[in-house]
């Protein structure tokens, strides 16, 4: 009887362990190993950032990226879940030197998305790449038209552009960030005819050393969207917001958020702790990222929490907030720069009990200089995949397949 009982007990124990192990891996399937990487394009050099928009109006998110070393600005059409793991249909919308950023925007209000690129290096100009009015020619490079905005030409090393309606007149305006000599945070005021590029007026809002990130958010709940940004270098480095005045030609009051005096890189704005308030999350090149939470209704008060970068990597680049493992709680996703045993694309989950952040690998050991990361369900399986690019080892533009739902 003892042997029979013992045998039954052993079987019960083994079964329990198997069930427990299965449950553990089911809960942590997104962390078991590096995610599968699917290449969208590796045809040029120095892919630098990915921005999203529906270029062809089919309801799927397409993307645009500037290839800094290759001197190309390219747009990519999302082929849909069935073909998304193959290289995407692409078009070179413009050939400009040192493109640092590219973004979709319907600049002339004709219903189709154009592209605006910001260039540094010796180019130091902002370009408009006008899309063809004939949608059937979107993938025809010769149908795109590239023109410089004269008020930006040769003026500053432009790094980033944010489409934003500022003055309530005419079409959408552009907020611009630059770096280096004469660097600024400025805005380009749209004229009555957006195609009259000579009529776009440049207004300087703030001196800057190296603007890394720009976002629009109504911080003070006055009905006007303010400008939230990071400046990476100089005596005024950190994360700040400029209060949008009633008269956009008036004074844009500057307010600190946090990460002051450090190398503040990209930021994102999201409700990280699910309390109904929007937090500002900033990654740095100082070994940590910082979560800045609104202390109360006073937008000048912030509580900050430092989170060590995943795998103790030294240099952060970009950060995203999204529910990676589909458990209903937001997670942190980041791209980083590291040496040796690199795991530069990773996500972090907050342990419900200890409140500690736990690190999980995404990118493995390949690649070293990654950029903006975007969370999108590309394969239609119900979990969020991740779009990004890498410019140092020419992994190009690609996406990581989230394994949570059986990928």
């Amino acid at each position: 009887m003892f042997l029979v009982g013992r045998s039954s007990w052993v079987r019960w124990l083994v079964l329990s362990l198997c069930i427990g192990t299965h449950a553990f891996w089911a809960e942590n399937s997104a962390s078991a190993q590096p995610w599968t990487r699917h290449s969208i394009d590796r045809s040029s050099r120095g892919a630098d950032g990915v921005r999203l928009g529906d270029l062809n109006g089919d309801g799927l998110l397409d993307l645009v990226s500037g290839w800094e070393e290759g001197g190309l600005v390219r747009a990519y059409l999302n082929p849909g879940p069935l073909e998304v793991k193959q290289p995407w249909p692409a078009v070179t919308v413009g050939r400009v030197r040192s493109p640092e950023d590219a973004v979709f925007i319907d600049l002339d209000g004709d219903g189709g998305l154009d592209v605006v690129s910001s260039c540094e290096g010796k180019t130091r100009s902002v370009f408009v790449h006008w899309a063809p009015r004939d949608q059937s020619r979107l993938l025809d490079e010769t149908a795109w038209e590239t023109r410089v905005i004269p008020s930006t030409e040769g003026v500053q090393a432009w790094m980033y552009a944010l489409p934003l309606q500022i003055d309530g007149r005419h079409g959408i305006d552009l907020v611009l960030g630059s770096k280096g000599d004469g660097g600024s945070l400025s805005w380009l005021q749209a004229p009555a005819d957006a195609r009259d590029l000579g009529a776009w007026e440049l207004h300087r809002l703030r001196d800057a050393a190296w603007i890394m990130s720009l976002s629009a958010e109504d911080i003070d709940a006055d009905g006007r969207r303010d400008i939230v940004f990071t400046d990476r270098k100089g005596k005024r480095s950190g994360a700040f917001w400029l209060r949008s005045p009633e008269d956009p030609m008036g004074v844009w009051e500057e307010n600190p958020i946090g990460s002051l005096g450090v190398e503040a890189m990209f930021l994102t704005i999201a409700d990280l702790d699910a309390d109904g308030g929007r937090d500002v999350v900033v990654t740095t090149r100082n070994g940590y990222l910082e979560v800045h939470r609104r202390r109360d209704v006073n937008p000048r008060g912030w509580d900050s929490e430092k989170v060590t970068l995943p795998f103790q990597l030294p240099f952060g680049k970009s950060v995203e907030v999204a529910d990676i493992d589909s458990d209903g709680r937001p997670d942190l996703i980041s791209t980083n720069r590291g040496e040796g045993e690199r795991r530069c694309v990773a996500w972090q989950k907050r342990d419900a009990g200890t409140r500690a952040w736990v690190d999980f690998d995404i990118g493995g050991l390949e690649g070293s200089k990654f950029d903006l990361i975007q969370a999108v369900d590309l394969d239609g399986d119900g979990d969020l995949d991740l779009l990004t690019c890498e410019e140092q080892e020419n992994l190009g533009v690609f996406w990581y397949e989230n394994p949570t739902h059986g990928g």
Side-chain angles (χ1 to χ4, degrees):
M1 293 293 296
F2 174 78
L3 291 176
V4 173
R6 180 181 178 185
S7 177
S8 299
W9 179 84
V10 170
R11 285 197 300 269
W12 173 85
L13 178 60
V14 171
L15 180 61
S16 298
L17 287 173
C18 289
I19 292 173
T21 301
H22 175 78
F24 174 83
W25 284 112
E27 181 181 352
N28 296 277
S29 58
S31 64
Q33 59 186 0
W35 297 9
T36 300
R37 187 180 75 241
H38 300 287
S39 179
I40 292 173
D41 185 14
R42 298 185 68 172
S43 64
S44 189
R45 295 177 295 111
D48 205 354
V50 289
R51 310 283 288 275
L52 303 177
D54 186 0
L55 180 59
N56 58 356
D58 64 355
L60 299 173
L61 285 174
D62 309 308
L63 66 92
V64 63
S65 183
W67 294 75
E68 185 175 0
E69 283 73 34
L72 305 176
V73 179
R74 307 203 79 201
Y76 304 88
L77 296 183
N78 186 333
L82 296 180
E83 300 178 23
V84 74
K85 296 180 183 181
Q86 305 302 317
W88 293 16
V91 59
T92 298
V93 305
R95 297 175 183 268
V96 293
R97 292 185 177 180
S98 304
E100 180 67 24
D101 173 64
V103 63
F104 287 124
I105 172 178
D106 181 7
L107 207 61
D108 56 3
D110 67 352
L113 291 180
D114 309 297
V115 174
V116 169
S117 64
S118 303
C119 298
E120 55 163 332
K122 295 181 180 179
T123 307
R124 298 168 62 88
S125 303
V126 177
F127 294 87
V128 179
H129 311 279
W130 297 112
R133 295 260 168 96
D134 182 354
Q135 289 276 296
S136 68
R137 299 188 67 193
L138 281 177
L139 294 179
D140 179 358
E141 180 180 347
T142 65
W144 289 78
E145 179 185 352
T146 296
R147 293 289 182 269
V148 69
I149 300 178
S151 60
T152 71
E153 189 171 11
V155 175
Q156 297 171 43
W158 301 107
M159 300 296 290
Y160 201 87
L162 170 70
L164 179 65
Q165 176 55 260
I166 290 180
D167 59 2
R169 303 174 65 237
H170 310 314
I172 195 156
D173 308 297
L174 289 168
V175 182
L176 301 176
S178 67
K179 74 172 185 179
D181 294 339
S184 76
L185 195 161
S186 300
W187 71 285
L188 268 174
Q189 186 176 22
D193 178 8
R195 291 225 168 210
D196 181 6
L197 295 182
W200 284 77
E201 294 186 36
L202 184 65
H203 305 284
R204 193 180 188 94
L205 297 178
R206 177 196 194 266
D207 293 344
W210 189 333
I211 296 295
M212 277 297 299
S213 190
L214 292 168
S215 189
E217 183 83 6
D218 186 1
I219 296 290
D220 55 358
D222 65 353
R224 297 186 301 273
R225 290 200 290 171
D226 309 298
I227 299 172
V228 185
F229 67 97
T230 51
D231 195 342
R232 175 178 173 178
K233 296 283 190 179
K235 295 180 180 179
R236 298 164 70 195
S237 66
F240 304 84
W241 67 282
L242 295 182
R243 184 178 183 273
S244 176
E246 290 188 24
D247 178 2
M249 298 303 175
V251 176
W252 290 68
E253 177 191 353
E254 181 176 308
N255 301 275
I257 294 174
S259 303
L260 305 180
V262 300
E263 223 173 325
M265 303 297 280
F266 284 106
L267 66 80
T268 191
I269 302 175
D271 183 6
L272 182 60
D273 47 11
D275 65 352
R278 301 267 286 171
D279 309 309
V280 177
V281 186
V282 180
T283 189
T284 76
R285 280 178 61 89
N286 297 73
Y288 59 87
L289 59 81
E290 254 184 307
V291 181
H292 305 290
R293 296 180 175 86
R294 187 79 59 82
R295 184 176 302 135
D296 50 36
V297 294
N298 178 5
R300 292 167 178 80
W302 303 82
D303 288 324
S304 300
E305 174 195 3
K306 289 184 179 179
V307 179
T308 301
L309 289 176
F311 306 108
Q312 298 185 325
L313 287 165
F315 307 127
K317 185 67 179 286
S318 177
V319 62
E320 173 75 300
V321 174
D323 181 7
I324 287 299
D325 54 357
S326 301
D327 69 348
R329 294 180 293 174
D331 308 301
L332 291 168
I333 308 100
S334 60
T335 64
N336 308 273
R337 185 81 183 263
E339 304 296 335
E341 293 296 304
R342 298 166 298 193
R343 289 176 287 189
C344 298
V345 183
W347 69 284
Q348 295 170 286
K349 177 183 180 66
R350 171 155 259 171
D351 184 272
T354 65
R355 304 295 291 165
W357 289 94
V358 184
D359 304 339
F360 300 114
D361 189 16
I362 292 174
L365 305 182
E366 293 185 276
S368 61
K369 190 178 180 183
F370 296 84
D371 209 86
L372 276 172
I373 193 159
Q374 311 271 7
V376 184
D377 181 9
L378 291 172
D379 52 9
D381 65 355
D383 55 28
L384 292 172
D385 308 299
L386 298 170
L387 268 166
T388 188
C389 62
E390 197 276 341
E391 59 178 309
Q392 191 71 46
E393 298 176 24
N394 282 324
L395 299 184
V397 180
F398 53 88
W399 63 281
Y400 292 110
E401 183 179 354
N402 191 334
T404 297
H405 289 169

